[in-house]
Amino acid sequence: EVQLVESGGGLVQAGGSLRLSCQTSGYNFDDYVIGWFRQVPGKEREGVSCFSSVNERTYYADSVKGRFTISRDNTKSTVYLQMNSLKSEDTAVYYCAAEIDPYFRCPGSSSGSEYDYWGQGTQVTVSS
């Protein structure tokens, strides 16, 4: 069974930085795509970033472009999300998700409904 565990969330001042980690297990890391999503209570989940292996492209939501960076460490089966210049509107629960179809092209739907496995989420709170 594929498992995903997020870590690295916390409380940070506006303008600060955090690095989120998504540790995966139970599957060949190279055979699936990892995406990052976030959700605020009362609002729809939105895609933040993902990397598409099939076309070797990285995607970012317009709201985070230039501030967030996604990266992978294949030896550790881990995906990272480096978040810089954080704003109060970045406050949310952040999730990583796995799509096991290696031909999946991200981004898919904005909600990530195509993804097969999800982590438990990690809270990011940005104080203003």
Side-chain angles (χ1 to χ4, degrees), residues 18-123:
L18 287 173
R19 188 181 73 161
L20 305 184
S21 299
C22 177
Q23 176 70 51
T24 70
S25 62
Y27 208 81
N28 187 343
F29 184 72
D30 293 331
D31 288 344
Y32 56 85
V33 176
I34 300 293
W36 285 98
F37 299 82
R38 66 186 182 185
Q39 188 167 26
V40 176
K43 296 184 178 181
E44 294 185 0
R45 185 173 61 210
E46 64 173 337
V48 176
S49 181
C50 61
F51 181 79
S52 179
S53 297
V54 65
N55 58 7
E56 297 289 332
R57 294 194 65 179
T58 302
Y59 297 89
Y60 298 95
D62 289 342
S63 59
V64 307
K65 189 176 182 179
R67 300 187 297 118
F68 291 10
T69 303
I70 190 171
S71 62
R72 299 166 63 109
D73 186 338
N74 291 341
T75 64
K76 298 180 179 180
S77 299
T78 299
V79 175
Y80 304 96
L81 185 68
Q82 179 67 45
M83 306 185 295
N84 298 325
S85 302
L86 284 163
K87 306 174 181 179
S88 60
E89 54 262 42
D90 295 318
T91 296
V93 177
Y94 284 72
Y95 300 89
C96 62
E99 164 58 55
I100 62 174
D101 182 357
Y103 300 102
F104 174 72
R105 299 175 184 267
C106 73
S109 66
S110 59
S111 67
S113 60
E114 306 94 337
Y115 285 75
D116 302 294
Y117 301 96
W118 293 81
Q120 83 289 344
T122 184
Q123 176 71 49

